[in-house]
Amino acid sequence: MTGSLNQTTAIRIEQMDCPVEERLLRKALEKQPGVLQLHFNLMSRVLSVTHQPTALEDILQVIRKIGFTPELGTAGRPGDTAVTGVSGCCSHRHHHHGGDNHVGHAHGEHAHRHDNAVSSSHADVSPNIAQGLLPVWWRLAAGGLFALIAELAHWFGAPDWLVVVSAVAAVALAGTDTYRKGLIALRYGDLNINALMSIAVTCALLIGQWPEAAMVMVLFTLSEWIEAKSLDRTRDAISGLMDLAPERVTSLQPDGTWQPVAVGLVAAGARLRIAPGERIGLDGRILKGMTTVNQAPITGESVPADKQPGDTVFAGTINESAEIEVEVTAAANSTTLARIITQIEEAQAVKAPTQRFVDTFSRYYTPAVVMLAVLLAILPPLLFDGEWRYWIYQALVVLIIACPCALVISTPVTVVSGLTAAARRGILIKGGVYLEQGHRLSWLALDKTGTITQGHPVQTDMIALREDRPVNEFQLIAASLAARSDHPVSRAVYQALPPQAGALLAVDDFVAVPGRGVQGTMAGRQWYLGSPVWAQAMGVGGPTLQASIESAEQQGQGVVVLMDDRGAVMLFTVADDIKPDSVAAIAQLHAEGVKTLMLSGDNQAVVRNIARISGVTEAQGQLLPQDKLDAIRRLQSQGGEVVGMAGDGMNDAPALAQSDISFAMGAMGSDMAIETADVALMDDNLMKIPEFLRLSRQTRRVLIQNISLALGIKAVFLALVLLGMGSMWIAVFADVGASLLVVVNGLRLLKAGQATGVA
């Protein structure tokens, strides 16, 4: 936590979207006076710096010295929390089209993406090239032409001066930006791809490899541009989520007219009119009209949902059949869609184990290979009478191979693609660590009410156990207590109260006892409404009560007991149906090798009955929150077990926190669920968990493939060099080719999110 006098400033840097730039900025800024903390969101090209107020201008000046263009897209605000993102690769990312219209600021204010966007988009060129005499394409084309002339002149034995002049012109035209970046990197002691390529091309020129040096620089610049375009698809996939909500909505004005208004200017409480076929711009509650809404962008479900007055609608969804009027319940920067986008960006900060390994490995890999290149250049000539020029050339080839570009980008591209694919299907994963760990899930514990069952039990019967008051008075007392509770069983008792029963009674000293029930004082008497377990703990019982409880439980019904200080007064029975998809979801989990355990506070007979119908592996009932927590710990103590927990209530919170992967059910519109769960399911459909498992396993396979490709290709070409069969051309193709392969392979995961048709 930073002090109140410090502030966090979000700085947009168009050139920053690769670990190379992040590392360079870290080295330049970490020792800068007044800088307290750095957070990088490479996907959005935003650097959030926590600093002393007087240090901002010096920070901006350091960034400019590196050759980057800092832009203050949002003002620094004390106490702001920045997010970290990891994405991109070691290449020139100056060619991203329309990047400024998709700025993902650290606080998810996607609704302001056009209003707050920075004014300059760099027109697909880096600042250095933009200031040149020719646009980037012409410079690259001209460099390629001169490189070709150098090759042909050398091939046909033209004068040496023509070869030299053509090669130097090609390197100058195509490689100016690479040299500039390389020199800056060397100044900060960073051996990135620009530094290695600059050294390799310069040394190639010095030993007289003019045509090859020229062509290598041109090919490198061209391939970097192609690689940047491929990688931009990952960023565009998240940017596409931002575009789901319209920029303007039709809002009721004070003078009674309906006018188009920018979504960023609409406050909670405003009234909107949404036409058939129109995208809903903000979260709200329907005031007028009945329609169907396609909620696929939020829930991943393609079947439209029927909506009527009082129902909730969400930004980014589509009103399909009729005009509706909606009262706005959330401003643009706090809609469900905005929170989803924010969580996807923040998820990039939670590095998966594979990514942490790759980051650590790459820090040692590059210096080791550079040292190998140095030894290769000097040892064979010194020890084995080798030709200096030949072995220096082979060392230059190794230098190009030394950059771990493909390895560095193999994990973030794959993980971000997987996170985005999951979001398209209504599965919000809070970090790559959970996406990767999901394939190891061996046990899934499930709450019963609201997770396996509908969560909306209805009262089926009530039995008076005393006759000192009319039955309708006891029912009113129970409903008055139940109305103050948020437990589904209590709500069933309250909702069963007939309208003619009269107004609810005033309840004093109300207390909700977790896992037990509720209590309060009415007309000077203490009343309790809760589970049979609570009744037993209070010493309340009797043959009639016990027989009624056993009869109801044998039928798979829940029981609620109304008690006072004299004993049990009335017994209510409730039933909760299993969700239509629960049985199929549990069957799929078993098919995926995951064992299931139902954890419930209901009595064992009800739990056993639901378990029999749903097909769960094991079931435990009459559990308090602590008991659920202990059940998770027991599973984890079996050794090597990765245990998940799916739930939707506060009673599940301790078990959700203890589990290795927690799944929040029904997270759509719920701030608490989205913020606390590892995986938030944007509807309450258990089928999303088998989908998550399959996506996790597919992501794992792609990660292994990408790391194997990146390291395998490097190993093959290092072996060729050591055998004296390498060339700079081959090294460039190997380096960039491997990067392109892992990017394209990682992007395949995006197809996993296209089944719903979400853009």
Side-chain angles (χ1 to χ4, degrees), residues 186-456:
L186 289 173
R187 191 172 72 199
Y188 287 98
D190 187 14
L191 289 174
N192 62 28
I193 184 59
N194 298 299
L196 295 174
M197 185 58 66
S198 299
I199 294 171
V201 170
T202 300
C203 292
L205 293 173
L206 292 176
I207 63 174
Q209 297 292 329
W210 301 99
E212 190 165 4
M215 192 60 74
V216 162
M217 182 60 80
V218 171
L219 288 174
F220 172 75
T221 305
L222 176 62
S223 59
E224 291 282 273
W225 183 84
I226 295 172
E227 184 186 335
K229 289 298 183 186
S230 300
L231 189 64
D232 280 341
R233 284 191 57 194
T234 306
R235 181 179 292 105
D236 291 342
I238 296 179
S239 298
L241 294 175
M242 300 180 188
D243 291 334
L244 288 176
E247 297 177 34
R248 305 181 75 81
V249 291
T250 303
S251 177
L252 181 63
Q253 302 302 301
D255 61 3
T257 62
W258 295 90
Q259 299 292 337
V261 179
V263 291
L265 302 178
V266 178
R271 187 162 180 155
L272 307 181
R273 176 181 288 170
I274 303 163
E278 185 179 353
R279 281 193 182 270
I280 297 170
L282 295 161
D283 288 1
R285 180 175 57 86
I286 295 179
L287 298 176
K288 181 180 178 181
M290 299 178 64
T291 187
T292 58
V293 176
N294 182 349
Q295 300 188 141
I298 303 296
T299 67
E301 298 296 330
S302 58
V303 178
D306 294 330
K307 298 288 183 177
Q308 59 186 358
D311 287 345
T312 301
V313 294
F314 300 94
T317 59
I318 303 168
N319 177 28
E320 292 200 332
S321 57
E323 182 178 271
I324 54 175
E325 293 183 13
V326 172
E327 179 186 10
V328 175
T329 57
N333 60 354
S334 57
T335 64
T336 300
L337 179 62
R339 294 200 305 274
I340 291 173
I341 294 167
T342 300
Q343 290 297 342
I344 292 175
E345 292 180 337
E346 290 179 348
Q348 301 164 57
V350 186
K351 293 187 178 182
T354 303
Q355 187 168 342
R356 292 196 297 268
F357 159 76
V358 166
D359 290 345
T360 302
F361 179 84
S362 63
R363 285 200 297 268
Y364 296 100
Y365 168 82
T366 300
V369 178
V370 170
M371 181 59 65
L372 175 63
V374 173
L375 295 176
L376 195 63
I378 61 176
L379 290 184
L382 290 177
L383 301 180
F384 306 106
D385 199 26
E387 183 183 353
W388 281 97
R389 177 171 169 172
Y390 173 82
W391 286 106
I392 289 175
Y393 177 82
Q394 296 300 325
L396 297 180
V397 177
V398 172
L399 274 184
I400 298 175
I401 296 175
C403 182
C405 294
L407 184 63
V408 169
I409 66 171
S410 61
T411 46
V413 169
T414 303
V415 169
V416 172
S417 296
L419 293 172
T420 306
R424 287 173 168 176
R425 299 192 69 86
I427 305 169
L428 185 58
I429 305 172
K430 302 291 286 295
V433 61
Y434 308 114
L435 178 62
E436 183 175 333
Q437 191 177 15
H439 80 281
R440 298 177 52 230
L441 192 68
S442 52
W443 276 95
L444 178 66
L446 304 112
D447 175 47
K448 178 181 73 69
T449 305
T451 301
I452 295 177
T453 64
Q454 295 282 7
H456 304 293

Side-chain angles (χ1 to χ4, degrees), residues 22-182:
E22 177 183 339
R23 191 164 59 245
L24 194 57
L25 284 163
R26 280 192 184 279
K27 288 190 175 183
L29 291 174
E30 279 182 339
K31 297 181 180 180
Q32 179 69 21
V35 174
L36 305 175
Q37 199 169 20
L38 302 172
H39 290 283
F40 293 84
N41 188 326
L42 300 179
M43 188 59 65
S44 300
R45 299 188 178 98
V46 173
L47 165 62
S48 295
V49 185
T50 302
H51 59 89
Q52 297 172 357
T54 57
L56 180 57
E57 187 53 45
D58 291 337
I59 293 169
L60 298 177
Q61 190 60 35
V62 170
I63 295 173
R64 293 187 188 102
K65 285 182 180 179
I66 296 176
F68 297 157
T69 305
E71 298 165 348
L72 298 179
T74 57
R77 292 167 290 187
D80 281 355
T81 302
V83 298
T84 305
V86 177
S87 176
C89 72
C90 312
S91 57
H92 311 286
R93 295 293 180 265
H94 311 128
H95 314 285
H96 177 59
H97 289 283
D100 297 304
N101 287 340
H102 303 298
V103 180
H105 292 300
H107 305 279
E109 297 176 358
H110 83 288
H112 301 283
R113 60 190 180 277
H114 295 288
D115 299 330
N116 291 343
V118 292
S119 59
S120 170
S121 68
H122 295 283
D124 268 353
V125 292
S126 69
N128 186 48
I129 295 178
Q131 296 169 4
L133 298 176
L134 295 173
V136 61
W137 262 111
W138 284 102
R139 291 170 67 91
L140 188 55
L145 178 61
F146 277 111
L148 181 61
I149 291 172
E151 284 286 354
L152 294 175
H154 176 72
W155 183 266
F156 291 107
D160 290 343
W161 67 265
L162 180 59
V163 177
V164 173
V165 170
S166 300
V168 171
V171 171
L173 286 166
T176 303
D177 201 47
T178 299
Y179 269 109
R180 180 181 59 82
K181 288 185 174 183

Side-chain angles (χ1 to χ4, degrees), residues 603-645:
N603 68 79
Q604 189 63 42
V606 173
V607 171
R608 190 163 47 245
N609 185 60
I610 297 296
R612 177 182 56 81
I613 299 172
S614 63
V616 297
T617 308
E618 296 180 17
Q620 298 176 20
Q622 298 177 252
L623 301 179
L624 296 174
Q626 181 63 41
D627 298 326
K628 293 184 179 183
L629 173 64
D630 292 339
I632 297 295
R633 286 175 172 166
R634 281 195 297 272
L635 290 176
Q636 292 172 325
S637 66
Q638 294 177 8
E641 300 283 6
V642 175
V643 181
M645 172 70 188

